[in-house]
Amino acid sequence: FKTATGREVEVTGPYGWKIDQGYETAALISMIQTTQSQPREPQYAKTAADRNCDWGNTYTEIDLSNQHVYMIKDGAVIWDAPCVTGNVARGNATPAGIYSLTYKETNRILRGRKKADGTYTYASHVDYWMPFNGGIGLHDADWRSKFGGTIYQNNGSHGCINLPPDKAKLLYGYVYPGMPVICYH
């Protein structure tokens, strides 16, 4: 993967094409039984943005090493911002990989692990929530006064990508469910 800054990095993850094996097995058996050669487009259980390059040319890019997020649209950077990712010292480092944006939501309360007494380890209100890896997502963090640098190493998040509120609002307008999200070191 060639990053917004021109570096080449290796990325893997759950994003990409996946053939519906059950459907395809039945369809291929049926096709073979006809003894006729036929063109066929596979049935997919999961698709990606592009057949030639899974992530296509519109995606969100998260540079974990440099603590920066980029929004790429039609191959060009249209938005960028410093960020704070998962706290490395506490074992909450944000995982690298290729994902897809699950959904987006406004006015959300993010909660930590539920304790025995029914309370949560934390509860934080965010205006813009954009999850892409289970409970990990991009969101505004109005409780932070600084972003970028080495903050994440000892004072990072629980794994999410914290963004300046004004920048998160703009990004929220660009992203859409299913959009590739690429995290790398």
Side-chain angles (χ1 to χ4, degrees), residues 15-91:
Y15 185 81
W17 296 88
K18 182 178 180 182
I19 290 178
D20 183 331
Q21 292 180 342
Y23 182 90
E24 280 304 302
T25 299
L28 290 171
I29 289 169
S30 178
M31 183 188 263
I32 291 167
Q33 289 173 340
T34 68
T35 69
Q36 300 292 317
S37 178
Q38 304 170 40
R40 169 158 182 72
E41 179 65 27
Q43 180 76 26
Y44 294 98
K46 192 168 108 178
T47 61
D50 188 279
R51 291 288 292 160
N52 296 316
C53 171
D54 280 358
W55 50 85
N57 62 6
T58 298
Y59 50 87
T60 301
E61 179 179 322
I62 302 165
D63 183 339
L64 300 167
S65 297
N66 293 309
Q67 296 291 284
H68 211 86
V69 180
Y70 301 90
M71 174 63 209
I72 312 300
K73 183 175 181 185
D74 298 328
V77 176
I78 61 164
W79 173 98
D80 73 289
C83 67
V84 175
T85 62
N87 188 324
V88 174
R90 290 195 176 153

Side-chain angles (χ1 to χ4, degrees), residues 113-173:
R113 184 182 50 78
K114 194 171 190 175
K115 298 188 286 187
D117 66 3
T119 63
Y120 294 90
T121 53
Y122 68 87
S124 302
H125 174 267
V126 297
D127 289 326
Y128 305 100
W129 171 234
M130 300 160 271
F132 60 85
N133 180 11
I136 296 174
L138 298 129
H139 63 77
D140 53 304
D142 63 4
W143 55 88
R144 291 194 181 276
S145 58
K146 293 183 181 177
F147 296 85
T150 59
I151 298 167
Y152 74 106
Q153 292 175 350
N154 293 295
N155 191 23
S157 71
H158 294 93
C160 284
I161 291 68
N162 293 181
L163 295 167
D166 60 331
K167 290 293 205 165
K169 180 179 181 179
L170 291 171
L171 180 63
Y172 187 87

